[in-house]
Amino acid sequence: MHDKTLVELARALDAGEFSSRELTQHLLGRIDRLDGELNSFITVTFDQALAAADAADATRAKGNAGPLTGLPLALKDIFCTRGVKTSCGSKMLDSFVSPYDATVVEKLRAAGTVSLGKTNMDEFAMGSSNENSHYGPVHNPWDFTAVPGGSSGGSAAAVAAGLVPAAMGTDTGGSIRQPAAFCGITGLKPTYGRVSRYGIIAYASSLDQAGPMARTAEDCALLLGAIAGHDLRDSTSVARGVPGYSKELAAPLNGLKIGLPREYFGDGLDPAVEKATREAIAVFESLGASVREVSLPHTHYAIPAYYVIAPAEASSNLSRYDGVRFGHRCDNPADLIDLYKRSRAEGFGDEVKRRILIGTHTLSEGFFDAYYKKAQQVRRLIRQDFLDTFEEVDVLMGPASPTPAFDLGANKDPVSMYLQDIYTIAVNLAGIPGISVPAGFVGQRPVGLQILGSHFSEARLLNVAHQFQQATDWHRRRPAFAEENA
Amino acid sequence: MALEHADVQRAAHLARLGLNDDEAAGYVDDLGRILEMVDMLQALDTEGVAPLAHPLDATQRLRADEVTESDQRDEFQRCAPAVENGLYLVPRVVE
C-alpha cells in the first residue's frame, strides 16, 4: 500500500481493495515504527487521522467520493492547523496550537484528504538542509548520512520513505524543489499567487508559495487542482481560473521547445549531476522536443538579491513574535523591552537570528537604498531574463541543485549553504513556477531535473514532467529503507 | 560595506533581539561575509530600473469597509502566554 501513488490508491479505494481506515492505519503503523529514526514528523495526529479516514469511508459508501477522498497526506509544520500544534520548526512556537486553519488545509480537508500529521522543517523555513530545525535534523531515506534538503525536508523524506504518498511543502527559495530532488520525489512550486498563503506562517511574503510534493507529476496535478485558486483572505492570491491540471497530462511533447540556460551548466555543477541531467534532456529529444541553449545573464545576482529581500521581509514578518500574543515568553521579564528581547533571544535559533539581523541592518537608516532598493531593481532584471527566454522557448531545464544531497553536518558555513540554491532562488524572485522530477542517481543519492515555465504555466510543466515519467522509471525507485521496513 | 560589532548590536536592538557581547561577536564574521556576498549587487548598473516589489506587479486590492469577522477573542487568546479579563498581560510600562 505504502509505495502506491495517489492515483493508484484512489483506484484501489474505489475498487474496495482496502478502506481509507486500513490504509491510514497501515501508514500510521509505518510512521510509528520508522519515524523515530527518520525524524520526518514533528506531530502525528493519530486520532484525527482515523476519524477523517472513517468520514471518508462513509462518504465513499454513500457514493459521494471525489478524486482525493480518503487519501492520506502530511502537512509541513508551517501550515496552521486548527487545534493542532503548529511549530514552524521553532522553539518559539513549540507550544502554539493554532486557532484556525490555513486555506490550503481547509481545501484539502474539504476534498476529503486525511492528514496524518505535521512534518519537520528548517526553523521558519530558513534553510536548505533541515538541520536548522528545533526538533533535530531529518535523515535522507536514501542514505542516512545525507541531509534530505530543506526547508521542506520532512515532507520530502516522509514521501520517499513510504510514510505518506504525498505532502504539502512551501518554497521561498527552493524549499520544495531542492528537497524533492534530494529525496527522489516530484515537487512543484506554483506561480506566486496561484495558491493562497493565508494561514501559512510567513517567512518572505513576496516569495513564499505552497505546493505539492508527491511521487509523480500526475499526483501533483491532482493536489494542485485542489489547493489552487483565489482567496479573499490573501490579497496576493491571484483572481484567475484554475485549469484542469490532470486533463492536459497526456498531451504529446512533439514540437516542445526546451531552453538550457548556459548559466545552469557552469562552474560548481557536479559532473555526475550534469551527466544525469543531460541524459534526462535527451529523453525529451526522443519524445519530439527540440533543445537549444539560452542565457539568463543575471543568474549570479539572484543569491545576493535574495539575501537582501528575504531577510528584509523576514525581519518584518518575525517582529510579531513578541512574547505577548502567542509563542515563547521569557520568565520574569524586568520590563517590556526585556520581555521582547529575551523572549526572542530564547525562542529563535541561530539561522533565524542571523536573517533577522541582516534584514534589520539592510533596512535601517542609511542602508536602505544601497541594499533593499538595489536588490528590488536587480529582481526586475532577473525576472526580465526569464520573460525574454520564454519568448523563444516553452520551458527551461537544468539541474535542481548543483550537487546531490550533501552529508549531514557538511555545510557549517552559512554562505556556502546559501550558494547551494543557485538554480532555484531566481525562480522565486521572478515568481514563475518550477517542478523537480527524479532523473537519476549519483551513487545512492537521487538527482532532480528542474523544469521551469512562464507565469501560470503549471499545466504545461505537469504535462512535460508526466510525459518524462511515462518514458522513465526514476520516480518508481524506492530507497532500501522503505523496502526493508515494509 | 564592512560590518562592525556596533552595527550588529544596533541591529539587534532595533530587532528587539537580546544578544550579549560574546553572541554579537559571533555574528560579526558571519554577517560580514553575507554582506560581502550581497555587495556583488553594487557592480551591476541599475540606473533607471524600477524596483520590483511584486513578481506579478499586482497592487493591493481594495474592499468595502465592512465588518466581516466575528468576535473570537477568547479563542485567539487561548494561545497567549498571559491574559486576564480579555487583556494581554505585559510588564508595567507607565508607573
Side-chain angles (χ1 to χ4, degrees):
Chain A
M1 267 181 233
H2 56 265
D3 68 348
K4 285 186 158 50
T5 67
L6 290 176
V7 170
E8 289 164 352
L9 289 169
R11 217 173 286 137
L13 290 171
D14 262 343
E17 288 172 34
F18 43 79
S19 66
S20 179
R21 171 172 264 266
E22 285 164 334
L23 172 60
T24 301
Q25 275 174 326
H26 173 69
L27 295 177
L28 289 171
R30 281 178 67 82
I31 293 170
D32 196 39
R33 284 204 312 282
L34 306 179
D35 204 49
E37 231 181 316
L38 193 65
N39 201 28
S40 66
F41 278 83
I42 291 173
T43 303
V44 182
T45 48
F46 290 94
D47 295 343
Q48 290 101 318
L50 290 172
D54 287 343
D57 285 333
T59 303
R60 188 174 303 276
K62 284 187 215 136
N64 295 331
L68 284 166
T69 301
L71 296 179
L73 45 73
L75 303 162
K76 185 180 183 178
D77 206 16
I78 198 168
F79 293 94
C80 282
T81 38
R82 186 185 173 105
V84 174
K85 169 168 153 175
T86 300
S87 75
C88 218
S90 181
K91 181 183 172 189
M92 180 62 84
L93 293 176
D94 183 54
S95 63
F96 178 65
V97 174
S98 175
Y100 72 110
D101 276 329
T103 296
V104 165
V105 174
E106 224 173 64
K107 288 190 164 201
L108 288 170
R109 183 173 301 139
T113 65
V114 174
S115 171
L116 304 191
K118 310 292 291 289
T119 55
N120 205 340
M121 56 180 287
D122 284 298
E123 183 179 6
F124 285 106
M126 299 180 193
S128 313
S129 70
N130 219 116
E131 293 170 295
N132 296 336
S133 169
H134 174 62
Y135 302 90
V138 178
H139 294 272
N140 188 315
W142 291 92
D143 179 346
F144 264 54
T145 62
V147 302
S151 63
S152 312
S155 288
V159 173
L163 306 185
V164 275
M168 285 295 141
T170 60
D171 189 317
T172 305
S175 286
I176 286 174
R177 292 159 289 151
Q178 183 254 27
F182 282 9
C183 290
I185 66 164
T186 305
L188 172 74
K189 183 206 92 77
T191 305
Y192 180 79
R194 180 72 289 186
V195 175
S196 169
R197 293 185 297 106
Y198 179 78
I200 297 174
I201 295 176
Y203 159 24
S205 305
S206 79
L207 303 164
D208 295 341
Q209 183 62 194
M213 305 172 79
R215 302 213 163 96
T216 62
E218 189 180 24
D219 285 358
C220 287
L222 194 59
L223 289 170
L224 181 64
I227 62 172
H230 185 225
D231 180 7
L232 289 172
R233 296 173 298 185
D234 171 9
S235 64
T236 61
S237 75
V238 175
R240 187 178 166 121
V242 178
Y245 294 112
S246 301
K247 282 186 202 138
E248 297 179 44
L249 293 172
L253 300 187
N254 288 326
L256 179 76
K257 288 183 276 184
I258 299 171
L260 307 187
R262 107 173 36 106
E263 294 80 6
Y264 286 27
F265 292 86
D267 286 348
L269 175 58
D270 182 318
V273 172
E274 175 167 4
K275 183 166 177 285
T277 306
R278 291 201 185 273
E279 284 170 6
I281 290 160
V283 171
F284 288 99
E285 290 183 285
S286 74
L287 296 174
S290 65
V291 175
R292 77 173 81 163
E293 192 180 86
V294 296
S295 177
L296 299 167
H298 297 95
T299 295
H300 292 282
Y301 296 100
I303 290 176
Y306 178 89
Y307 278 98
V308 174
I309 293 167
E313 295 185 12
S315 72
S316 169
N317 273 326
L318 272 62
S319 65
R320 73 191 62 178
Y321 303 104
D322 55 6
V324 175
R325 292 160 298 160
F326 43 78
H328 178 75
R329 179 186 184 103
C330 68
D331 289 331
N332 307 315
D335 55 30
L336 192 59
I337 295 289
D338 184 49
L339 167 67
Y340 293 151
K341 285 193 171 181
R342 276 201 293 129
S343 297
R344 290 164 64 77
E346 292 168 8
F348 291 137
D350 205 36
E351 181 62 23
V352 173
K353 288 179 185 172
R354 206 175 277 128
R355 295 195 195 186
I356 289 174
L357 289 169
I358 283 285
T360 306
H361 176 73
T362 56
L363 288 177
S364 66
E365 193 184 357
F367 296 103
F368 182 85
D369 280 3
Y371 287 120
Y372 193 72
K373 185 177 165 211
K374 185 79 179 179
Q376 297 279 60
Q377 290 174 309
V378 173
R379 184 174 185 180
R380 183 174 296 277
L381 299 176
I382 288 166
R383 186 184 65 165
Q384 196 57 46
D385 283 354
F386 285 108
L387 297 181
D388 291 346
T389 59
F390 291 128
E391 297 284 314
E392 293 174 48
V393 297
D394 301 314
V395 294
L396 298 172
M397 289 188 191
S401 173
T403 66
F406 42 88
D407 289 346
L408 279 158
N411 274 318
K412 295 253 180 269
D413 167 52
V415 174
S416 67
M417 183 77 90
Y418 298 168
L419 297 175
Q420 288 283 334
D421 295 332
I422 176 76
Y423 304 137
T424 50
I425 266 182
V427 172
N428 300 78
L429 291 168
I432 60 172
I435 190 169
S436 177
V437 291
F441 289 84
V442 176
Q444 287 175 282
R445 302 185 185 184
V447 172
L449 172 76
Q450 183 176 224
I451 312 169
L452 307 175
S454 56
H455 293 120
F456 300 104
S457 66
E458 287 85 357
R460 187 59 159 162
L461 293 186
L462 289 162
N463 159 235
V464 169
H466 177 70
Q467 289 304 311
F468 180 72
Q469 293 181 333
Q470 299 302 102
T472 59
D473 70 351
W474 301 117
H475 62 291
R476 289 204 182 86
R477 308 288 177 94
R478 302 287 179 259
F481 175 75
E483 308 277 353
E484 280 162 16
N485 295 288
Chain B
M1 280 175 268
L3 189 86
E4 291 170 11
H5 193 274
D7 296 319
V8 174
Q9 283 292 21
R10 174 172 167 266
H13 176 67
L14 289 172
R16 299 295 185 265
L17 198 56
L19 287 188
N20 63 33
D21 271 351
D22 281 354
E23 288 165 334
Y27 285 110
V28 172
D29 181 52
D30 275 358
L31 301 190
R33 279 179 310 113
I34 295 168
L35 289 179
E36 197 179 303
M37 184 260 291
V38 161
D39 276 342
M40 187 183 157
L41 298 175
Q42 306 306 328
L44 198 59
D45 180 9
T46 52
E47 186 66 37
V49 178
L52 179 71
H54 186 293
L56 303 169
D57 289 317
T59 50
Q60 206 74 323
R61 219 179 24 249
L62 299 176
R63 63 167 173 82
D65 185 15
E66 286 160 2
V67 177
T68 54
E69 293 290 329
S70 56
D71 179 7
Q72 300 179 67
R73 185 172 70 177
D74 290 347
E75 191 166 358
F76 290 167
Q77 287 194 332
R78 214 169 291 152
C79 53
V83 288
E84 199 179 289
N85 302 326
L87 303 171
Y88 293 100
L89 297 186
V90 295
R92 183 178 293 277
V93 180
V94 181
E95 293 297 334

